[in-house]
Amino acid sequence: MTNQDVVVSEMGISAGGAALPGAGGPALFACRSAAAGAMSMRQAYLDLAAVAAAARSASCTWAEAMRASSPTRSSRSAADVDEFTAWVRKHPSALSEFEQIAGASKGKKIVMFLDYDGTLSPIVADPDAAFMSDAMRAAVREVAKRFPTAIVSGRCRDKVRNFVGLSELYYAGSHGMDIKGPSSNVCSPSSSPPSRNQPEYRTTNRTPPSHHSLMKISFPHANLQPESVLCQPASEFLPMIDEVYKALVEKTKSTPGAKVENNKFCLSVHFRCVDEKRWNALGEQVKDVIKEYPLLKLTQGRKVLEIRPSIKWDKGKALEFLLESLGFANSSDVLPVYIGDDRTDEDAFKVLRKRGQGLGILVSKFPKETNASYSLQDPDEVMEFLLRLVEWTRKPSSSSSSSMIRPRVS
């Protein structure tokens, strides 16, 4: 099992003192305070860099760390099966416990949060070919007709939106650092408008949260043009991210199979197609670039190294932002459901545990340390869970005791 919150590499110090680019003019609907915090903490980061470097030298090699974050098991031994059975007792299947989950949702409004890779689509060798099935897309569409639904991914927001292909969703890309609401064409003739009895999630023209700058958000309604929500707490880092992207592409081009992906506010170095013997060298190449940028941090996911701004923002913060924007920040009648497979999703699971409200569901075939309450094994089980949830809303018994949104009966 892996530590869900290990930061494998911290910040280094550049010879010239890498500076955060100026903000320029105010960005419309941008969440700036987190990035501003990075500026005020800059000296602290610099002071800690030497300590982080010392910790790295005493820790395991890059190859060992990368292997630990990306376990590969072609078969299960009897001990593995016993371990997984014990783990499932602690994190039971959301399918086998569906009635309990349905019971917990009675009298509450569900808000659905979904990771993309490994949750809605299978993990594939080529990250540009991580397509979701038409059946999964249809299932997500049905869920979005009934509940506010957000895709929360490490991918670039535009890229994951193109993969999903549904305009009626909220999209939080770059691990939640780039959030936007439904497009203006969500109420197309082919989509079912809400019934007159279903709740409308609309919180525009109110005072923005104190820790965010201006934003607008609304849930689509048949007779209303939806307004965008846009939160970009790391917008000042864009020039730096672009610069590091170019440096990483150049640095890693000697490693066959390595792929650097620009996710706008963060970067991913995929090593799924890299010979394991080259993992350590690849890790050193990436570290060699990142050490020149003390305001960036390096973490690991499933066969991927991720570079992000060192600000207090993650998928958990994105979940909180969307719940607050939807008017559910202090609501006792809301049930957030978050489904994800990656260690970055643990930030959202932690938020739900801290709130004592909501359900975290980890997608995994192997035991992992997690703050999720339930588990599903793969995207097929995720789709089955979503479809069962949709079907449950159609039952007359659920409407009398639940505030979940039901489809219009024509």
Side-chain angles (χ1 to χ4, degrees):
M1 292 186 289
T2 61
N3 185 331
Q4 302 294 336
D5 303 301
V6 171
V7 176
V8 190
S9 175
E10 296 293 342
M11 294 67 66
I13 304 177
S14 69
L20 185 66
L28 185 62
F29 304 147
C31 301
R32 292 294 187 86
S33 58
M39 286 292 290
S40 64
M41 296 180 68
R42 175 178 172 79
Q43 187 57 50
Y45 289 151
L46 296 174
D47 293 340
L48 287 171
V51 176
R56 284 197 302 274
S57 64
S59 65
C60 59
T61 68
W62 273 99
E64 290 171 338
M66 293 161 79
R67 194 177 299 115
S69 68
S70 309
T72 301
R73 307 182 193 181
S74 56
S75 61
R76 290 185 182 180
S77 66
D80 290 335
V81 172
D82 291 342
E83 182 184 11
F84 184 72
T85 301
W87 182 79
V88 170
R89 282 197 293 267
K90 186 177 180 181
H91 308 284
S93 167
L95 292 175
S96 63
E97 299 295 321
F98 183 81
E99 292 305 320
Q100 178 180 339
I101 292 173
S105 71
K106 290 184 178 180
K108 300 183 184 297
K109 303 176 182 69
I110 288 180
V111 182
M112 184 66 68
F113 298 89
L114 301 165
D115 182 28
Y116 183 74
D117 293 278
T119 299
L120 299 182
S121 72
I123 297 293
V124 295
D126 181 1
D128 291 332
F131 303 110
M132 66 189 298
S133 67
D134 290 338
M136 179 67 86
R137 183 173 294 103
V140 174
R141 180 185 291 113
E142 289 300 314
V143 167
K145 289 179 182 178
R146 292 156 176 81
F147 323 115
T149 300
I151 306 297
V152 186
S153 172
R155 298 271 198 159
C156 168
R157 172 173 53 81
D158 290 340
K159 180 176 287 188
V160 75
R161 187 191 182 286
N162 288 336
F163 274 138
V164 176
L166 298 175
S167 57
E168 57 265 45
L169 309 183
Y170 298 94
Y171 289 92
S174 302
H175 297 290
M177 288 183 284
D178 189 9
I179 304 175
K180 193 172 184 180
S183 305
S184 59
N185 62 344
V186 294
C187 297
S188 61
S190 61
S191 62
S192 301
S195 69
R196 66 180 62 186
N197 296 321
Q198 87 176 32
E200 176 193 344
Y201 301 98
R202 183 175 178 80
T203 60
T204 54
N205 299 322
R206 67 180 181 87
T207 303
S210 59
H211 56 289
H212 304 303
S213 61
L214 295 177
M215 58 86 192
K216 291 185 178 181
I217 187 168
S218 68
F219 193 63
H221 188 281
N223 300 315
L224 295 172
Q225 289 296 318
E227 297 161 295
S228 286
V229 51
L230 184 57
C231 175
Q232 296 180 338
S235 57
E236 289 87 351
F237 285 84
L238 281 175
M240 185 185 295
I241 292 292
D242 288 339
E243 182 179 321
V244 173
Y245 170 72
K246 294 174 184 177
L248 284 172
V249 169
E250 180 65 24
K251 192 75 171 180
T252 62
K253 68 181 183 181
S254 62
T255 303
K259 182 180 179 64
V260 184
E261 184 178 16
N262 190 336
N263 293 311
K264 189 172 181 177
F265 292 100
C266 60
L267 301 171
S268 298
V269 181
H270 300 273
F271 58 91
R272 185 169 297 276
C273 296
V274 175
D275 188 314
E276 190 169 334
K277 295 178 181 178
R278 294 178 176 267
W279 285 7
N280 196 60
L282 176 62
E284 291 297 333
Q285 288 174 341
V286 175
K287 182 182 69 172
D288 198 42
V289 172
I290 300 306
K291 70 181 182 181
E292 302 296 329
Y293 297 88
L295 295 181
L296 300 180
K297 65 180 179 180
L298 176 60
T299 60
Q300 292 190 8
R302 294 175 62 179
K303 288 189 168 59
V304 63
L305 301 174
E306 297 183 306
I307 297 93
R308 289 185 274 170
S310 294
I311 62 174
K312 293 183 178 180
W313 197 269
D314 49 40
K315 290 184 176 182
K317 294 292 186 183
L319 182 151
E320 290 180 312
F321 173 83
L322 283 168
L323 286 177
E324 184 170 353
S325 301
L326 288 164
F328 292 137
N330 301 307
S331 176
S332 61
D333 65 348
V334 63
L335 186 74
V337 178
Y338 191 106
I339 308 178
D341 76 305
D342 196 70
R343 68 175 59 198
T344 59
D345 298 308
E346 290 297 320
D347 294 314
F349 297 151
K350 287 177 183 177
V351 166
L352 296 182
R353 278 200 178 272
K354 185 177 180 180
R355 289 171 63 98
Q357 181 184 41
L359 303 174
I361 303 176
L362 176 68
V363 183
S364 178
K365 292 184 177 181
F366 304 106
K368 292 181 180 180
E369 293 180 6
T370 181
N371 284 282
S373 301
Y374 297 94
S375 64
L376 293 167
Q377 290 200 35
D378 50 39
D380 286 341
E381 287 199 353
V382 172
M383 183 170 66
E384 183 179 350
F385 175 81
L386 296 178
L387 291 175
R388 286 188 66 177
L389 194 60
V390 168
E391 184 60 30
W392 189 79
T393 65
R394 292 171 174 161
K395 293 181 180 180
S397 59
S398 67
S399 63
S400 60
S401 57
S402 172
S403 298
M404 291 198 303
I405 303 170
R406 302 181 65 225
R408 183 180 67 171
V409 178
S410 55

